[in-house]
């Protein structure tokens, strides 16, 4: 479902390219960190380090081991939940930077926190707010707004997007408020409004039922009497109610209920969806542009008729040339009509140009204002000069009018085109249901009430009734009923999934048949759908590195064009004064200055920085939307840029190349022990393990004993959950080797050769040959020892995904080298690699060592992609230039990876790379077009071709060209919407370009 306003989080804070969420709310973790502050010996130093990329206990253990291995580190404690490390070290031997480098060498990102934090004081929390910014027209405007925001005290980070006309600001609410930010943007001459932030105590509600001043007073009276409401503001025009409340007293739903009950049902309240609010602003902007264009066109048509048609209608023409005071009737009409167009309809260009100049920058509005004003002022001066001297020069009022009309047409078409680029977010928001059916139960579990509530007011723990054909309101667990659920809109899987009790469901998916009761577990920004929306939105806000080129050109573009226009004016005027061209070239009743001025205005008007500014962001917006529609979530423009240059793709074996559904295929005892007794012993040892192989062994043993296909997944310590198992003690998991426990005082070892060799267990030739045979058939051999004697072997197979081999071959055809990395033994790894066609294999690699494999391929500057499940592979995903988490839509995957492949399908790896390549081909095409347009159009407008070919561009034609240039770039980007991902039948036809 869409994010609830009370906890919408637009982005997570991170370094340059990886996003990492830091949860600072866990009090127990705070206590653990603070309790570790012991008295530091004299001369020792204590620091805290924020660590990005840790996702599980193995990660924190890896970091802790790396820190403790450094000479000079006294103690090191790593908190997984807080994403922090507390380190005490000898400053005579180490520097802070050495600690940071050690963590980064382990495959994670590190940041030394300020000393105030190391004294146990949490830094002031920052908020991330989204603001709608109007009036931006090109990259120069974006640079101007960003500079203003970043200069404000308390602002930590600011990103502004031209394509979405929005900005994202990270700020300290103790230093600066959102109103201060809005005022700063407006003071710089742009329009601004606050959309939403990740505040937990703020909600924006729509109110229905307030029709008069008395109703407003009643509403305010209700709010004033509610204990826990800190501040409120009601806008009677928009019907929006902003409430600041105490979250310890009110939840958003209880607040809404209290207001509605206080009004005796007169007022109906609903949560205002921030995405809907932004969409309405986009529609409003488009409507405004259309209205201005129609108004300008309506007033320009009479000007066109007076100049072109009326001279051929004697009666009308005679009226136009009738003297009326100092001027002709036609001149008065032209002056009046154009004045309205110039200063009423075209007022926005003067306002935008003024704020740009006030901020020390220039943009397209400056060019339009200069060009139209020059034409208008000259025409007025020509009239006044004619009235005073009797020498009448031609006027060019039509030029100003037509220029403004065409520019407004271009802006309107541009708004329409940019609206198309945000279709992905609109479609995702539409997936969220508007309402939910809340089931209220008594203490005995009996239903006492069912009522409909706003889906954005659902709370964790709520029981929701989902009827057939309706959408599931929130992520949760099925507590009653069974049904098939269509999850294709989220996962891309077209086959409906059976959901029974204890099955997890995703908000926004469709219940097809039966009635379900679902207990909400994740709401607001924590839901899968909200994370997808947030990720797509963040990606569309991001800037690809190639955008820096456009930003630089925009910063020098307008001054350069104005200089060229002045040079053109002086050049033609001086050339005419010295007789360099014949007098026949001059317009009727014109002079050399007028002749030169028309070329100069054409240069100012035809130059367009907008096309350059829109070349990258519009393509990135469309690409992220297309990717989301195909189950490929892209983190941002920088990820797109790196992915299109990938040289190596490193695949994790288990769960990535394979199905991740390990099954026991062979079980053999070598000491005369009965097979059933052997399986019971192994299952007892593995019952406390969470490893996928342990689950496979439990399922196999259970089926052997009870002919039951249900898979025993997890068990509590000592296997107490499974009465048919032996009671074991002192269980311990040994990462990369296996497990160990004791049964009746005798040690049980279950694992690989390394585990047996470390414990001095003899492996006979018969057992070794059997294990080798398993490994050469792409199976994993698991050895079992009891009382220090090897008693048997199990063979475990994990079938390859059916598309694995064709995807590997497809990547090779694309010029990408596939690599496989696994913690499995070399024989099994080589057998699997041979089956899928991978030549380069790295086996027996610990999870923390996968990042080192990534670094080894990066040494020559190659771009490396890592494909994994987003959990155990997170250090490698973070270390890679392009991390791809496959088959995962979790927080962990989003934090660690650049791409999240929602479907568990390897074809999406090719889709991600192919889409990136096509996107950057389109971006380069946009730049070539935008640059070529200006390089060709400006000389033509300056009259370079006029002496030889007689080609010149009237200013109004130049304006039409300028208006359509930016539209053409946006439309070029929109062609990406026609992208179709390669199919298995065509992948092998891809060749290196």
């Amino acid at each position: 479902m869409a994010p609830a306003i009370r906890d919408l989080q637009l982005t997570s804070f991170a370094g340059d390219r990886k996003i990492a969420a830091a949860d600072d709310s866990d009090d127990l973790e705070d206590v653990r960190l603070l309790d570790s502050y012991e008295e530091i010996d004299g001369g020792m130093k204590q620091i805290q380090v924020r660590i990005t990329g840790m996702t599980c206990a193995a990660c924190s253990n890896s970091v802790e081991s790396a820190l403790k291995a450094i000479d000079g580190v006294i103690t090191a404690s790593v908190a997984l939940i807080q994403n922090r490390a507390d380190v005490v070290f000898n400053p005579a031997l180490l520097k802070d930077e050495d600690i940071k480098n050690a963590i980064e060498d382990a495959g994670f990102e590190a940041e030394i926190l300020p000393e105030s934090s190391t004294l146990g004081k949490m830094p002031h929390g920052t908020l991330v707010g989204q603001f709608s910014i109007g009036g931006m027209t090109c990259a120069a405007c974006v640079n101007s707004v960003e500079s203003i925001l970043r200069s404000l005290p308390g602002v930590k980070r600011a990103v502004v997007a031209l394509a979405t006309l929005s900005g994202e600001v990270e700020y300290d609410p103790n230093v600066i408020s959102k109103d201060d930010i809005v005022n700063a943007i407006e003071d710089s001459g742009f329009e601004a409004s606050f959309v939403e932030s990740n505040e937990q105590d703020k909600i924006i509600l729509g109110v229905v039922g307030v029709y008069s001043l008395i109703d407003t007073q009643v509403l305010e009276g209700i709010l004033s009497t509610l204990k826990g409401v800190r501040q409120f503001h009601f806008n009677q025009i928009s019907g929006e109610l902003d409430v600041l409340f105490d979250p310890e007293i009110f939840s958003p739903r209880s607040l809404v209920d209290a207001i509605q009950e206080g009004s005796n049902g007169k007022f109906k309240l609903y949560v205002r969806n921030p995405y809907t609010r932004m969409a309405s602003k986009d529609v409003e902007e488009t409507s405004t542009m259309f209205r201005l264009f129609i108004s300008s066109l309506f007033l320009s048509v009479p000007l066109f008729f007076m100049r072109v048609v009326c001279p051929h209608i004697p009666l009308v023409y005679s009226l136009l040339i009738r003297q009326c005071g100092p001027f002709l009737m036609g001149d008065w009409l032209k002056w009046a009509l154009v004045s309205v167009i110039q200063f009423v309809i075209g007022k926005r260009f003067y306002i935008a140009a003024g704020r740009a100049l006030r901020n020390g920058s220039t943009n397209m509005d400056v060019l339009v204002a200069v060009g139209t004003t020059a034409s208008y002022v000259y025409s007025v001066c020509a009239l006044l000069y004619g009235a005073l001297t009797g020498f009448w020069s031609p006027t060019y009022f039509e030029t100003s009018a037509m220029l403004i009309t065409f520019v407004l047409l271009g802006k309107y078409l541009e708004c329409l085109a940019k609206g198309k680029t945000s279709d992905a977010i609109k479609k995702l928001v539409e997936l969220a249901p508007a309402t939910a059916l809340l089931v209220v139960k008594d203490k005995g579990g009996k239903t006492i009430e069912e009522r409909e509530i706003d889906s954005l007011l659902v709370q964790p723990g709520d029981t929701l009734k989902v009827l057939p054909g309706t959408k599931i309101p929130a992520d949760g667990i099925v507590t009653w009923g069974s049904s098939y659920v269509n999850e294709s809109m989220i996962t891309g899987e077209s086959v409906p999934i059976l959901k029974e009790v204890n099955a997890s469901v995703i908000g926004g998916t469709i219940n097809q048949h039966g009635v379900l009761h679902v207990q909400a577990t994740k709401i607001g920004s924590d839901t899968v759908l909200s994370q997808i929306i947030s990720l797509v939105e963040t990606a569309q806000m991001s800037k690809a590195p190639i955008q820096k080129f456009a930003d630089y050109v925009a910063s020098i573009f307008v001054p350069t064009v104005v200089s060229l226009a002045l040079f053109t004016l002086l050049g033609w005027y001086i050339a005419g004064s010295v007789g360099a061209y014949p007098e026949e070239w001059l317009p009727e009743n014109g002079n050399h200055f007028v002749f030169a001025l028309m070329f100069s205005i054409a240069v100012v008007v035809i130059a367009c920085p907008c096309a350059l500014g829109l070349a990258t962001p519009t393509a990135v917006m469309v690409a992220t939307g297309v990717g989301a529609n195909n189950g490929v979530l892209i983190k941002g423009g920088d990820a797109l840029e790196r992915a299109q240059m990938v040289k190596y793709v490193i695949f994790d074996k288990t769960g990535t190349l394979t199905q991740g559904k390990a099954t026991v295929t062979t079980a053999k005892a070598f000491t005369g022990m009965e097979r059933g007794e052997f399986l019971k012993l192994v299952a007892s040892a593995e019952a406390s393990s969470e490893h996928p192989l342990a689950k496979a062994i439990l399922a196999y043993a259970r089926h052997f004993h009870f002919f039951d296909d249900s898979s025993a997944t997890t068990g509590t310590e000592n296997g107490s959950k499974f009465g048919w198992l032996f009671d074991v003690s002192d269980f311990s998991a040994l990462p990369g080797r296996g497990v160990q426990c004791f049964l009746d005082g005798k040690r049980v070892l279950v694992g690989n050769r390394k585990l047996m060799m470390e414990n001095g267990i003899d492996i006979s030739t018969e057992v070794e040959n059997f294990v080798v045979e398993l490994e050469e058939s792409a199976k994993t051999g698991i050895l079992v020892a009891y009382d220090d004697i090897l008693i048997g072997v199990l063979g475990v197979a994990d079938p390859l995904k059916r598309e694995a081999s064709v995807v590997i071959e497809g990547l090779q055809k694309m010029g990408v080298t596939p690599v496989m990395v696994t913690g499995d033994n070399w024989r099994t790894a080589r057998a699997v690699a041979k089956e899928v066609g991978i030549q380069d294999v790295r086996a027996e690699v610990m999870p923390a060592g996968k990042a080192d494999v990534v670094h080894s391929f990066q040494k020559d500057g190659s771009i490396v992609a890592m494909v994994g499940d987003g959990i155990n592979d997170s250090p490698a995903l973070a270390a890679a230039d392009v991390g791809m988490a496959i088959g995962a839509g979790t927080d962990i995957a989003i934090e660690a990876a650049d791409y999240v492949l929602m479907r568990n399908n390897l074809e999406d790896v090719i889709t991600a790379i192919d889409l990136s390549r096509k996107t950057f081909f389109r971006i380069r095409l946009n730049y070539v077009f935008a640059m070529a347009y200006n390089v060709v159009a400006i000389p033509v407008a300056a009259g370079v071709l006029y002496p030889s070919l007689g080609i010149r561009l009237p200013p109004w034609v130049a304006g039409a060209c300028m208006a359509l240039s930016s539209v053409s770039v946006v439309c070029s980007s929109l062609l990406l919407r026609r992208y179709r991902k390669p199919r298995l039948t065509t992948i092998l036809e891809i060749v290196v370009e």
Side-chain angles (χ1 to χ4, degrees):
M1 60 182 286
I5 287 184
R6 60 187 174 87
D7 59 3
L8 175 69
Q9 186 165 345
L10 298 173
T11 186
S12 300
F13 315 143
D16 290 339
R17 49 175 286 258
K18 300 293 182 183
I19 293 182
D23 184 357
D24 291 316
S25 62
D26 193 86
D27 296 333
L28 293 178
E29 194 72 9
D30 277 345
V31 171
R32 193 179 86 80
L33 273 174
L34 296 177
D35 287 347
S36 68
Y37 295 148
E38 300 173 356
E39 188 68 29
I40 303 175
D41 294 336
M44 297 298 105
K45 184 178 180 181
Q46 182 176 11
I47 64 171
Q48 275 192 358
V49 187
R50 186 185 299 277
I51 303 172
T52 298
M54 295 192 302
T55 58
C56 59
C59 298
S60 59
N61 292 338
S62 175
V63 175
E64 202 163 288
S65 300
L67 290 172
K68 290 179 178 178
I70 305 173
D71 185 25
V73 170
I74 309 303
T75 63
S77 175
V78 179
L80 174 63
I81 301 299
Q82 290 282 15
N83 285 322
R84 291 185 185 177
D86 177 34
V87 186
V88 178
F89 64 96
N90 186 347
L93 300 177
L94 292 172
K95 298 179 180 178
D96 294 6
E97 199 67 20
D98 296 327
I99 303 294
K100 179 175 181 290
N101 292 337
I103 297 172
E104 290 178 343
D105 289 342
F108 302 88
E109 294 183 5
E111 175 191 355
I112 306 296
L113 294 175
E115 287 195 6
S116 59
S117 293
T118 63
L119 296 176
K121 295 180 181 179
M122 297 296 291
H124 291 300
T126 57
L127 296 176
V128 178
Q130 189 171 41
F131 297 81
S132 176
I133 304 173
M136 297 189 298
T137 57
C138 61
C141 299
V142 172
N143 296 337
S144 176
V145 176
E146 283 186 346
S147 299
I148 292 165
L149 291 173
R150 290 168 181 169
S151 66
L152 296 175
V155 171
K156 310 295 183 183
R157 180 179 60 85
V159 179
V160 177
L162 174 63
T164 58
L165 293 177
S166 61
E168 213 171 67
V169 183
E170 178 190 344
Y171 63 98
D172 186 344
N174 297 310
V175 179
I176 188 171
S177 69
K178 60 181 182 295
D179 293 330
D180 295 331
I181 295 173
V182 169
N183 292 336
I185 298 172
E186 291 180 340
D187 288 344
S188 65
F190 295 91
E191 300 169 3
S193 62
F194 173 73
V195 177
E196 195 49 64
S197 77
N198 57 347
E199 292 174 289
Q200 301 294 316
D201 57 355
K202 171 76 178 293
I203 189 170
I204 301 177
L205 302 168
V207 184
V208 178
V210 178
Y211 304 112
S212 65
L213 181 59
I214 296 177
D215 292 335
T216 302
Q217 292 172 347
V218 170
L219 177 62
E220 292 176 347
I222 295 171
L223 290 165
S224 300
T225 59
L226 292 178
K227 183 180 178 181
V229 173
R230 295 169 177 167
Q231 292 179 357
F232 61 87
H233 172 72
F234 179 66
N235 186 324
Q236 192 169 1
I237 297 176
S238 64
E240 283 190 357
L241 174 64
D242 294 11
V243 183
L244 188 67
F245 62 94
D246 187 344
E248 294 184 1
I249 298 177
F250 280 117
S251 68
R253 188 167 77 217
S254 63
L255 176 63
V256 169
D257 290 343
I259 297 173
Q260 291 184 159
E261 290 173 4
S263 68
N264 294 321
K266 177 178 175 58
F267 302 144
K268 299 296 182 183
L269 284 77
Y270 60 94
V271 180
R272 293 298 300 267
N273 191 314
Y275 298 111
T276 304
R277 295 171 67 210
M278 289 194 67
S280 65
K281 290 181 180 294
D282 294 339
V283 172
E284 183 181 343
E285 175 72 8
T286 303
S287 300
T288 300
M289 284 299 170
F290 180 73
R291 186 175 63 254
L292 291 174
F293 163 66
I294 292 298
S295 300
S296 182
L297 180 64
F298 179 76
L299 296 176
S300 297
V301 168
L303 294 171
F304 175 79
F305 270 86
M306 280 189 280
R307 187 177 186 90
V308 177
V309 178
C310 291
H312 302 286
I313 305 176
L315 179 60
V316 176
Y317 189 62
S318 63
L319 294 174
L320 293 177
I321 60 174
R322 177 178 296 178
Q323 194 75 23
C324 183
F327 310 124
L328 301 179
M329 180 65 72
D331 293 332
W332 281 113
L333 287 174
K334 290 179 183 178
W335 192 356
L337 291 172
V338 173
S339 295
V340 175
I341 296 173
Q342 184 78 29
F343 300 111
V344 179
I345 298 174
K347 178 180 65 175
R348 61 181 294 113
F349 297 111
Y350 284 103
I351 294 174
R355 67 188 171 216
L357 295 174
R358 188 165 62 248
N359 295 319
S361 64
T362 52
N363 57 19
M364 185 203 74
D365 297 299
V366 173
L367 296 179
V368 174
V370 169
T372 57
T373 301
S375 177
Y376 179 84
V377 170
Y378 166 77
S379 299
V380 172
C381 291
L383 283 179
L384 296 176
Y385 182 76
L388 294 174
T389 65
F391 181 79
W392 298 93
S393 299
T395 60
Y396 294 93
F397 283 119
E398 301 88 348
T399 297
S400 297
M402 297 300 292
L403 176 56
I404 290 176
T405 301
F406 277 113
V407 171
L408 290 172
L409 172 61
K411 297 301 293 182
Y412 168 65
L413 295 176
E414 187 180 311
C415 286
L416 286 178
K418 284 195 285 189
K420 293 290 185 181
T421 63
S422 58
D423 280 351
I425 289 182
K426 293 176 184 176
K427 290 179 181 178
L428 288 170
V429 171
E430 289 170 358
L431 292 178
T435 60
L437 193 58
L438 178 67
V439 178
V440 182
K441 298 183 178 181
D442 59 18
K443 293 182 179 180
K446 183 179 179 181
T447 300
I448 58 176
E449 181 188 4
E450 290 182 7
R451 65 187 179 99
E452 191 173 76
I453 63 170
D454 192 318
S455 61
L456 295 179
L457 295 175
V458 172
Q459 300 173 0
D462 283 348
T463 298
L464 308 171
K465 185 176 182 179
V466 186
L467 300 174
T470 62
K471 296 178 180 178
I472 296 174
D475 294 1
I477 302 294
V478 176
T479 59
W480 179 86
S482 66
S483 179
Y484 282 89
V485 175
N486 181 1
E487 297 182 344
S488 61
M489 64 289 298
I490 302 293
T491 65
E493 298 292 345
S494 58
V495 180
I497 308 297
L498 176 63
K499 300 294 182 179
E500 298 178 309
V501 175
N502 293 328
S504 60
V505 291
I506 302 173
T509 56
I510 300 175
N511 177 29
Q512 291 196 327
H513 302 297
V515 177
L516 295 175
H517 281 192
V518 175
Q519 185 178 46
T521 56
K522 293 182 179 181
I523 63 167
S525 60
D526 292 331
T527 64
V528 171
L529 179 58
S530 293
Q531 289 180 20
I532 293 173
I533 293 173
S534 180
L535 185 60
V536 173
E537 186 179 52
T538 302
Q540 294 184 347
M541 286 286 296
S542 68
K543 290 185 179 181
I546 196 174
Q547 179 68 23
K548 294 177 181 177
F549 168 73
D551 292 342
Y552 170 73
V553 173
S555 65
I556 63 173
F557 188 87
V558 175
T560 302
V561 169
V562 173
S563 300
L564 287 174
L566 291 174
F567 178 78
T568 300
L569 175 64
L570 293 174
W572 278 106
Y573 181 72
I574 294 173
S577 301
V578 299
Y581 56 81
E583 296 291 329
E584 290 79 11
W585 287 8
L586 299 178
E588 184 179 357
N589 295 330
N591 53 45
H592 295 295
F593 177 77
V594 174
F595 185 66
L597 181 63
M598 290 302 102
F599 285 113
S600 179
I601 292 175
V603 169
V604 169
V605 170
I606 202 168
C608 183
C610 292
L612 282 170
L614 293 170
T616 297
T618 52
V620 170
M621 282 189 69
V622 177
T624 53
V626 168
N629 291 336
N630 286 280
V632 177
L633 303 183
I634 306 167
K635 182 155 292 185
D638 54 344
L640 274 168
E641 185 161 350
R642 291 192 301 272
Q644 52 104 21
M645 299 184 290
V646 163
K647 184 176 180 181
Y648 296 99
V649 175
I650 301 176
F651 291 92
D652 176 52
K653 178 179 79 72
T654 305
T656 303
L657 289 173
T658 66
Q659 295 178 14
K661 299 177 181 177
T663 55
V664 177
T665 60
T666 307
K668 185 173 183 179
F670 287 92
T671 59
M673 180 183 290
E674 290 185 2
R675 190 181 182 200
E677 196 73 5
F678 168 68
L679 289 174
K680 186 175 180 180
L681 174 69
V682 181
S684 300
E686 293 283 10
S688 298
S689 174
E690 292 291 335
H691 196 281
L693 294 183
K695 297 178 182 180
I697 293 171
L698 274 170
Y700 184 81
R702 182 184 180 91
H703 179 68
F704 180 86
H705 280 277
F706 305 106
F707 301 100
D708 181 6
D709 286 330
S710 62
S711 61
T713 54
T714 60
T716 57
E717 192 173 351
N718 297 331
S720 59
K721 186 175 180 179
F722 306 103
W724 57 281
L725 298 178
F726 297 121
D727 289 330
V728 300
S729 60
D730 299 330
F731 172 85
S732 60
L734 307 172
R737 298 188 294 280
V739 300
Q740 171 184 287
C741 64
F742 287 87
L743 174 61
D744 296 332
K746 297 178 181 179
R747 184 171 60 173
V748 180
L749 297 172
V750 183
N752 55 22
R753 286 189 188 86
K754 187 175 182 180
L755 178 63
M756 301 300 154
M757 294 173 64
E758 287 177 352
N759 289 276
I761 307 298
D762 180 59
I763 302 176
S764 67
T765 303
E766 180 186 7
V767 172
E768 177 65 22
N769 290 338
F770 184 76
V771 173
V772 169
E773 184 180 344
L774 288 174
E775 293 171 346
E776 289 179 345
S777 60
K779 298 176 183 177
T780 300
I782 298 177
L783 289 74
V784 182
Y786 176 59
D787 196 17
D788 294 335
I789 298 174
L790 201 153
I791 62 171
V793 176
L794 294 111
V796 180
D798 187 1
L800 286 168
K801 292 177 179 175
R802 60 182 182 179
E803 74 276 7
S805 59
V806 72
V807 167
I808 296 302
E809 189 174 353
L811 287 171
Q812 292 168 340
K813 291 285 187 180
M814 295 171 70
V816 178
T817 302
V819 180
M820 188 183 80
V821 61
T822 178
D824 217 333
N825 64 81
W826 278 99
R827 284 195 185 91
T828 302
R830 289 194 183 102
V832 173
K834 182 178 180 181
E835 193 171 346
V836 297
I838 294 179
Q839 304 297 322
D840 199 337
V841 182
R842 307 297 168 93
E844 298 180 2
V845 179
M846 297 287 287
K850 293 178 182 179
D852 295 330
V853 174
V854 171
H855 291 316
S856 68
F857 284 95
Q858 292 172 324
K859 289 180 179 178
D860 62 352
S862 298
I863 303 297
V864 178
M866 172 70 194
V867 185
D869 61 12
I871 302 175
N872 293 329
D873 304 314
S874 58
L877 289 170
D881 299 290
V882 181
M884 297 184 184
I886 188 169
T890 63
D891 291 333
I892 293 173
I894 292 176
E895 290 167 13
D898 299 292
Y899 284 73
V900 178
L901 312 181
M902 294 298 293
R903 303 186 310 155
N904 194 15
N905 193 315
L906 290 172
E907 293 177 62
D908 291 340
V909 175
I910 284 185
T911 300
I913 297 175
D914 184 59
L915 177 59
S916 300
R917 291 183 176 182
K918 285 184 168 57
T919 299
F920 266 79
F921 170 78
R922 182 62 56 182
I923 289 174
R924 293 186 185 99
L925 193 64
N926 288 348
Y927 275 124
V928 168
F929 177 79
M931 290 297 293
Y933 165 81
N934 285 289
V935 168
V936 173
I938 292 176
V940 172
V944 170
L945 300 179
Y946 188 71
S948 58
L949 301 177
I951 297 176
R952 61 176 295 183
L953 292 179
W956 69 271
V957 175
C961 294
M962 183 271 286
L964 295 175
S965 63
S966 58
V967 176
S968 60
V969 168
V970 175
C971 291
S972 172
S973 295
L974 285 174
L975 290 176
L976 282 170
R977 298 177 70 197
R978 303 175 62 185
Y979 173 82
R980 295 293 180 270
K981 61 183 180 180
R983 297 181 179 274
L984 282 172
T985 54
T986 59
I987 286 176
L988 300 183
E989 298 175 6
I990 299 176
V991 295
V992 182
E993 297 179 354

